[in-house]
Amino acid sequence: METNNLKQDKQTTPHTDKSRFGLIAVLKRVPLSIWLKLTFVVLIVGIVVYLISSIKTVVTTTNTTVPDVVKNEKIDVTPTMIRSIEQIGEWSFLEINDEELVDTVRRGIFSNDELVRIYYGTLRLGINLKDTKEGWLSMSGDTLVAKLPPVRLLDNDFIDETRTRSFIASGKWSSVDRKEMYDRAVQKMRQRCLTKKNYATAQLNAKEQFGQMLRSMGFEKTRVEIGSK
């Protein structure tokens, strides 16, 4: 039995060595150019795999570090904004042009002296934003509320002296006489122009124009209140 086994080992061993040497012989016959191409392909595949894994790593890292972005559409009322609006100062919402004829007669023994003058003036109704009280601009829910001071005559010196003309002038008149006529012209213009209707028009214009300004600053909902005299 041992003799037979030895014979079998001797028979199988040369067969295995022969197959191995045959494979090596086949590989040796492969041209060098083919080996170079295979090496290049393997190298390219390795680079692609590396790049894909690197990109995945960067994307994963980026996604975990980017904070959530929350869109804030709310506009706050800041002290700087309030001061900038107050710096506007006087804001006229209605201008009324008027002209008044004022005459005076001074009777004499032989003749009368007469002076007739025409006065021109522009009366401006509006508000002075420097007269606003603390907290006049504030948020009420999602609405910006502006509490403005009362509409008033912005300038008491509304008569344009450079345009005053004497229509009739006979005799001599002092500065006191002319001042008295000027005061009468002022009173007439006040009575003619400072009416409830004109004040109401000025208040309406104030609400529209002021509200439009606030909306242009980004506040969609606004409410403008006008103080009473």
Side-chain angles (χ1 to χ4, degrees), residues 45-198:
V45 171
I47 292 173
V48 171
V49 172
Y50 174 77
L51 290 176
I52 292 175
S53 62
S54 299
I55 292 173
K56 287 182 178 181
T57 303
V58 171
V59 171
T60 304
T61 304
T62 304
N63 289 339
T64 55
T65 57
V66 172
D68 294 335
V69 177
V70 179
K71 188 176 181 181
N72 184 8
E73 297 181 349
K74 182 180 178 181
I75 302 177
D76 296 325
V77 181
T78 64
T80 302
M81 181 186 299
I82 295 175
R83 284 194 298 270
S84 64
I85 297 176
E86 291 175 350
Q87 289 301 316
I88 295 175
E90 292 184 348
W91 190 339
S92 175
F93 297 107
L94 183 64
E95 294 186 355
I96 311 160
N97 295 318
D98 188 26
E99 61 180 67
E100 295 291 341
L101 186 146
V102 180
D103 65 329
T104 184
V105 177
R106 185 172 57 213
R107 302 190 182 278
I109 299 174
F110 301 104
S111 62
N112 298 329
D113 295 333
E114 185 177 8
L115 180 60
V116 180
R117 309 192 81 190
I118 300 178
Y119 296 87
Y120 299 88
T122 301
L123 290 78
R124 299 183 304 123
L125 296 180
I127 61 175
N128 190 334
L129 289 167
K130 294 183 178 180
D131 294 336
T132 54
K133 299 179 180 180
E134 186 176 354
W136 68 274
L137 194 63
S138 61
M139 295 297 300
S140 178
D142 60 349
T143 302
L144 179 63
V145 180
K147 297 181 180 180
L148 303 179
V151 170
R152 63 177 177 83
L153 181 65
L154 294 177
D155 187 3
N156 290 318
D157 298 326
F158 48 80
I159 290 182
D160 187 357
E161 288 274 35
T162 61
R163 297 179 60 193
T164 301
R165 296 291 182 269
S166 295
F167 186 67
I168 298 175
S170 60
K172 293 183 179 180
W173 300 91
S174 65
S175 59
V176 176
D177 296 327
R178 295 177 186 276
K179 178 64 168 60
E180 188 271 335
M181 293 182 70
Y182 175 88
D183 292 340
R184 286 168 58 193
V186 168
Q187 189 62 28
K188 282 189 173 184
M189 289 187 183
R190 283 179 172 272
Q191 291 177 353
R192 186 188 298 273
C193 302
L194 302 183
T195 62
K196 290 183 178 180
K197 181 179 179 180
N198 286 338

Side-chain angles (χ1 to χ4, degrees), residues 10-24:
K10 291 180 179 179
Q11 291 177 355
T12 55
T13 300
H15 179 72
T16 302
D17 294 340
K18 195 174 187 179
S19 300
R20 183 178 62 184
F21 288 120
L23 178 61
I24 293 174

